[in-house]
Amino acid sequence: MSEFRIGQGSDVHRLAAGRPLIIGGVEIDSDLGAEGHSDADVLLHAITDALLGSLALGDIGSHFPNTDDRWRAASSLQFLRYAVDLVRQRGYEVVNIDSTVHLERPKLREHIDEMRERIAHTIDIEPSAISVKAKTGEAVGDVGERRALRADAVVLISKG
Ligand SMILES: [Zn+2]
């Protein structure tokens, strides 16, 4: 009988001029980018936290402290790869990932499939097992007023 576990992750970054906007491993043309350590990829951080959370392995900050210069400009794809390696070392496989990015603009629709493929390639599963959804903030709050972007992710893993 298979053993299942679920994990949940969420993340937020401030938006600022003069920073790149990288979401799901894809660089997106935008007047505002994401502030933060590493490449500030809000979606990959949420998914990495969901993977770590599925096995109660702490969070991204405990594995990659933002006080550590090694991660200053790191690609968050390597955080994602690290988390999925921990999952596999414990005998689990990723069943599927569902996620939502909250960003007022630009619209992400045309980039979604590339994000899914980038994530799928990095963790070595089919793109059909990865869902990325995009929502605006309806012009209110930190997302709607373009002060921040957020991401939420849920992951299911199984063993046996
Ligand atoms: Zn983050």
Side-chain angles (χ1 to χ4, degrees):
M1 198 176 99
S2 295
E3 191 182 324
F4 291 97
R5 298 187 59 124
I6 63 168
Q8 175 273 339
S10 63
D11 194 31
V12 58
H13 284 263
R14 285 189 204 162
L15 287 169
R19 287 277 305 178
L21 183 63
I22 299 172
I23 303 176
V26 176
E27 182 154 6
I28 290 157
D29 248 354
S30 172
D31 56 332
L32 300 180
E35 274 193 331
H37 214 65
S38 75
D39 60 4
D41 190 323
V42 73
L43 176 58
L44 297 191
H45 293 178
I47 293 172
T48 299
D49 257 358
L51 286 164
L52 294 172
S54 69
L55 288 168
L57 296 173
D59 61 28
I60 194 168
S62 60
H63 291 269
F64 301 99
N66 64 11
T67 50
D68 189 330
D69 272 352
R70 272 182 301 170
W71 316 122
R72 184 183 298 280
S75 166
S76 297
L77 289 167
Q78 68 184 277
F79 302 157
L80 179 62
R81 183 73 219 182
Y82 169 92
V84 83
D85 284 347
L86 289 185
V87 166
R88 291 210 172 102
Q89 281 163 19
R90 284 158 180 78
Y92 286 85
E93 269 302 322
V94 176
V95 177
N96 74 304
I97 293 170
D98 188 18
S99 65
T100 305
V101 179
H102 305 265
L103 179 71
E104 191 66 12
R105 65 175 185 269
K107 288 276 187 280
L108 296 179
R109 192 170 310 257
E110 67 190 89
H111 303 288
I112 295 278
D113 283 345
E114 193 180 349
M115 293 178 194
R116 294 172 60 217
E117 278 163 28
R118 194 66 57 92
I119 294 162
H121 178 76
T122 300
I123 66 178
D124 204 16
I125 65 174
E126 289 298 314
S128 61
I130 297 171
S131 160
V132 177
K133 308 188 298 299
K135 293 189 84 69
T136 72
E138 296 286 348
V140 296
D142 288 340
V143 170
E145 293 168 13
R146 301 193 80 207
R147 289 192 295 271
L149 78 168
R150 322 179 53 88
D152 306 304
V154 180
V155 58
L156 181 70
I157 61 171
S158 73
K159 175 154 84 170

